[in-house]
Amino acid sequence: MICNKTLPLMLTLNSNGRIEETRKRRKIEVSNFSNDIGAYVIRYKDHEICRFFGKSNIIKIGCTKDGYQNRFKNYNSQSDMTLDGTDLFWNLNERSQKTNVRLMYFLAHTKHLDEIVVDFYHSSDGQAPEELEYQLIKKYFEVHNELPPLNFGMK
């Protein structure tokens, strides 16, 4: 598997919000993301996190059948998780989009020691995005004996 492109994962203010509270929310800047389909890896550029076995800079592995830009816009549907004072545990208990909730909270409320980037792995003819995601997660698990920090389970 070859990474086709790497872009920074940045939060920007929601300047299009109608009310002040909405404008305080942050969202993922997706204007440079393509609408190709495939798998993606969210990771620190250089910083590594201790795992059960070894270290890794990978935070999350995912996939999209609807294009990268659309997938990351979907994360933005939980932009209220970027506000100060947000209760992560209550929201994880109450909401159905737990991955989106946790990622947006993590991006906004964690003191990051390094730049966060996204590696894009485009699906080739006949290869489903889920297959690419599975291969990336399997490879990660074989090395670290656990899933990336923001992956909740395997599909």
Side-chain angles (χ1 to χ4, degrees):
M1 279 173 289
I2 298 172
C3 172
N4 298 93
K5 190 173 191 176
T6 300
L7 291 173
L9 184 61
M10 299 180 301
L11 290 180
T12 60
L13 285 175
N14 183 14
S15 58
N16 294 329
R18 292 187 194 143
I19 62 173
E20 185 179 345
E21 181 180 331
T22 306
R23 287 190 297 273
K24 288 181 182 178
R25 296 177 183 184
R26 290 179 279 165
K27 59 184 183 173
I28 298 171
E29 175 55 53
V30 297
S31 61
N32 291 328
F33 290 16
S34 74
N35 277 314
D36 294 307
I37 63 169
Y40 57 90
V41 173
I42 300 172
R43 64 178 175 85
Y44 285 116
K45 189 173 182 182
D46 296 306
H47 176 69
E48 292 188 319
I49 305 163
C50 290
R51 309 308 296 151
F52 282 145
F53 295 106
K55 295 180 177 182
S56 174
N57 62 351
I58 295 174
I59 300 165
K60 174 164 178 36
I61 298 170
C63 73
T64 180
K65 296 182 276 185
D66 194 27
Y68 300 115
Q69 191 173 81
N70 289 330
R71 175 64 187 110
F72 283 84
K73 280 182 183 177
N74 190 269
Y75 282 125
N76 286 338
S77 69
Q78 301 295 330
S79 65
D80 63 320
M81 295 304 301
T82 66
L83 295 172
D84 290 337
T86 301
D87 186 335
L88 173 63
F89 299 104
W90 183 86
N91 282 289
L92 284 172
N93 189 47
E94 295 295 317
R95 296 188 187 183
S96 60
Q97 296 181 326
K98 295 180 187 332
T99 297
N100 297 9
V101 166
R102 189 148 178 234
L103 178 68
M104 292 303 284
Y105 186 91
F106 171 80
L107 291 173
H109 298 286
T110 302
K111 183 176 180 179
H112 301 287
L113 301 172
D114 192 12
E115 178 182 6
I116 297 175
V117 296
V118 184
D119 297 328
F120 299 99
Y121 296 82
H122 302 334
S123 290
S124 56
D125 292 335
Q127 185 176 38
E130 298 91 348
E131 290 176 39
L132 271 174
E133 177 189 34
Y134 176 81
Q135 290 171 6
L136 290 165
I137 289 175
K138 183 178 182 213
K139 181 179 172 185
Y140 184 97
F141 191 88
E142 287 170 348
V143 172
H144 302 292
N145 201 33
E146 65 179 322
L147 297 172
L150 294 183
N151 281 82
F152 289 114
M154 295 184 64
K155 297 175 187 168

